[in-house]
Amino acid sequence: MYYSKLFGKTNKSVPHDADSANARLLVQGGFINQLMSGVYTYLPLGLRVLKNVQQIVREEMNAIDGQEILMPALHPKENYIKTDRWEAMDDILFKLTGAGDKELALSSTGEEIVTPLVKQLVTSYKDFPVAVYQIQDKFRNEPRAKSGLLRGREFSMKDLYSFHLTEEDFDAYYDRSKEAYSKIFQRCGLDAKLVEADGGIFSKYSHEYQVFTESGEDLVFHCSCGFAQNKEIAEVKEGDACPNCKDGKISVDKAIEVGNIFPLKTKFTTAFNFKLQGKDGKMTEIIMGCYGIGPSRVMGSIVEVHHDENGIKWPESVAPFKVHIVPVKWADEVQQKLAVEIYGKLEEAGIEVLMDDRDKGPGEKFKDADLLGMPYRVTVGRGAADGVVELRPRATGEIEELSVDDLLKKLV
Ligand code: ATP
Ligand code: MG
């Protein structure tokens, strides 16, 4: 992609409610554009990142036998009456009235839709377990939409639902989901900690994946042995001896919840009277779990964790482009020719490249490259006449002079 052709450029305007690094850097870099509080357009650069995150999530959900579906975002009230959540979710549910005075809600989660769907389509015990997921925009009337992509009113969510005939089968799947979640966050460059959280009325715990950072809204009590509880349920306080290892002391830190897995037992299947005849001929209650991740919140969290005062440092796995070529002087024929040659060879090798083809000074171009945060900057300058360029990983900032051949060996 040539930068001059890109829709959405870097800009100096800082949104007035940019209370966090991700809001400021993503808007300034031209990744996202704010429509209103908690609602953003993804511009081409930002959409590439979001899709990369979603693809990682998709691959790991497929790896634990999840099948992708896409359910409607427009929901009928009746389904929420069955689960007693029409009023209970009043604080966050966007409600609207359709033609014929039909009462509707915008999707904030999917249990009300997926439970009757699976009940309708899966009618034999032989077809269990079932795991279906979707990657869909969710709508929540968050009273405090803030922190850029961290807490939106419209945001991307992956929600998977699993259905089982026995507790043992559910437990085994729940454990598999934990492994998948760890892989997802690792692949996204996030060090997410598994934290015990409130399980609601039906189970003691659910589990959250929390990324420690100052911009987090949650407080997590934790010990170096791995013990961790969300403050909202915590049975410990700061400075306590760790109840798990007995040696360590409990510390407390701010964190962002990037994922949440939840045993639902039979809460929703009972509401929809979803049971069926098991192998032994007896009626069996269906046990359910739900597993959420917010790809847009993950994207915001990546920026919170991977940035410096000059801009973003995208991990390669989610970066919109792997390489950013900066010809010092685009009008210089030798430089331009070499830059175009490198661009072509990298693209041929399947590497995504952004080329700064603007007639601007190197200072401004380097500044923008730092702000945009592609993992590798290739500077084509005076050395071009001798076929020499500079490679600068954004993460380390250490510059290396290389011949084009050596550069390609490093990047391909
Ligand atoms: P929170 O406690 O932060 O409000 P939640 O527990 O209500 O979130 P879930 O219902 O478990 O969230 O949703 C699954 C995932 O969706 C969360 O782990 C998070 O990654 C993401 N998510 C939830 N709410 C938002 C939001 N308002 N903006 C962006 N992502 C969100
Ligand atoms: Mg939660």
Side-chain angles (χ1 to χ4, degrees):
M1 164 68 74
Y2 275 39
Y3 194 76
S4 64
K5 304 249 173 6
L6 184 71
F7 178 65
K9 299 285 198 286
T10 57
N11 61 81
K12 295 205 169 53
S13 70
V14 182
H16 68 275
D17 57 348
D19 52 353
S20 57
N22 85 87
R24 181 168 51 80
L25 297 173
L26 289 172
V27 170
Q28 286 191 329
F31 291 87
I32 57 174
N33 178 272
Q34 190 179 44
L35 175 64
M36 55 181 156
S37 170
V39 182
Y40 292 88
T41 294
Y42 289 81
L43 299 171
L45 279 184
L47 188 58
R48 291 176 84 103
V49 180
L50 183 68
K51 284 189 166 175
N52 288 342
V53 172
Q54 290 171 337
Q55 186 54 24
I56 289 172
V57 172
R58 179 176 285 120
E59 285 168 15
E60 297 303 337
M61 291 301 101
N62 292 347
I64 56 167
D65 304 322
Q67 295 192 45
E68 187 169 5
I69 60 175
L70 181 59
M71 294 185 281
L74 205 52
H75 297 177
K77 175 182 177 181
E78 297 84 81
N79 294 38
Y80 292 81
I81 297 297
K82 292 222 167 82
T83 60
D84 272 336
R85 292 214 291 184
W86 184 254
E87 256 98 49
M89 296 212 294
D90 239 356
D91 49 339
I92 53 140
L93 211 53
F94 278 108
K95 296 180 177 176
L96 51 157
T97 309
D101 287 336
K102 188 160 174 62
E103 290 185 85
L104 307 161
L106 290 180
S107 178
S108 75
T109 173
E111 288 85 357
E112 274 77 4
I113 309 306
V114 78
T115 315
L117 176 75
V118 175
K119 178 185 171 183
Q120 187 191 344
L121 300 183
V122 182
T123 50
S124 161
Y125 71 85
K126 290 180 193 146
D127 294 333
F128 283 84
V130 174
V132 288
Y133 73 95
Q134 62 178 347
I135 298 174
Q136 184 208 43
D137 268 9
K138 295 290 188 291
F139 302 85
R140 290 186 184 179
N141 198 3
E142 298 277 0
R144 295 168 297 113
K146 58 176 197 166
S147 308
L149 298 184
L150 298 186
R151 184 168 296 284
R153 290 194 289 159
E154 176 175 350
F155 58 95
S156 171
M157 193 201 283
K158 181 283 301 175
D159 42 330
L160 182 141
Y161 305 89
S162 73
F163 298 81
H164 309 266
L165 294 175
T166 63
E167 278 291 345
E168 296 72 50
D169 192 52
F170 167 77
D171 288 343
Y173 193 80
Y174 196 73
D175 284 345
R176 280 178 83 196
S177 82
K178 283 185 188 166
E179 277 171 38
Y181 270 49
S182 299
K183 280 192 202 152
I184 289 169
F185 297 122
Q186 242 167 38
R187 289 181 64 185
C188 289
L190 290 175
D191 185 8
K193 201 175 184 61
L194 181 64
V195 173
E196 285 171 355
D198 190 11
I201 6 172
F202 284 86
S203 33
K204 185 156 188 238
Y205 292 123
S206 68
H207 291 91
E208 295 172 344
Y209 286 79
Q210 295 273 2
V211 173
F212 287 106
T213 152
E214 265 310 298
S215 52
E217 274 186 52
D218 288 16
L219 285 177
V220 174
F221 289 100
H222 61 103
C223 171
S224 54
C225 73
F227 172 89
Q229 286 185 337
N230 193 309
K231 179 173 187 281
E232 288 173 0
I233 53 137
E235 292 147 4
V236 291
K237 55 183 191 318
E238 195 174 8
D240 278 2
C242 172
N244 184 45
C245 68
K246 320 278 186 228
D247 294 332
K249 279 231 162 10
I250 297 294
S251 352
V252 62
D253 280 294
K254 286 189 183 168
I256 305 170
E257 179 206 310
V258 282
N260 196 187
I261 59 175
F262 218 99
L264 297 171
K265 301 272 167 104
T266 59
K267 178 176 159 67
F268 292 96
T269 50
T270 301
F272 287 99
N273 193 26
F274 182 14
K275 42 179 132 155
L276 46 79
Q277 220 167 27
K279 201 175 181 178
D280 55 7
K282 286 194 198 128
M283 286 310 270
T284 307
E285 300 242 44
I286 306 300
I287 297 158
M288 200 175 153
C290 71
Y291 314 78
I293 286 187
S296 49
R297 185 182 282 183
V298 166
M299 177 173 162
S301 305
I302 292 170
V303 178
E304 293 299 325
V305 174
H306 298 285
H307 76 270
D308 61 18
E309 64 281 8
N310 300 321
I312 304 170
K313 302 176 178 181
W314 292 114
E316 220 173 295
S317 55
V318 299
F321 294 93
K322 178 172 169 178
V323 179
H324 192 157
I325 302 180
V326 181
V328 171
K329 206 165 174 221
W330 181 247
D332 180 295
E333 261 176 48
V334 180
Q335 288 184 23
Q336 187 179 128
K337 189 159 169 274
L338 189 63
V340 171
E341 183 191 322
I342 295 168
Y343 181 91
K345 286 191 169 153
L346 287 172
E347 290 244 303
E348 230 169 75
I351 290 176
E352 293 168 318
V353 194
L354 184 66
M355 166 84 95
D356 195 338
D357 59 332
R358 295 173 300 172
D359 278 320
K360 302 239 176 187
E364 188 173 348
K365 290 196 208 177
F366 291 155
K367 236 178 141 179
D368 276 352
D370 273 358
L371 172 60
L372 294 176
M374 306 317 159
Y376 296 99
R377 189 184 84 195
V378 173
T379 310
V380 183
R382 234 172 280 156
D386 306 316
V388 173
V389 297
E390 281 177 11
L391 177 66
R392 178 178 177 272
R394 177 70 177 88
T396 62
E398 280 164 23
I399 291 175
E400 200 180 351
E401 285 202 344
L402 294 168
S403 69
V404 173
D405 275 354
D406 287 342
L407 175 80
L408 293 173
K409 270 186 214 137
K410 286 230 161 181
L411 292 179
V412 175

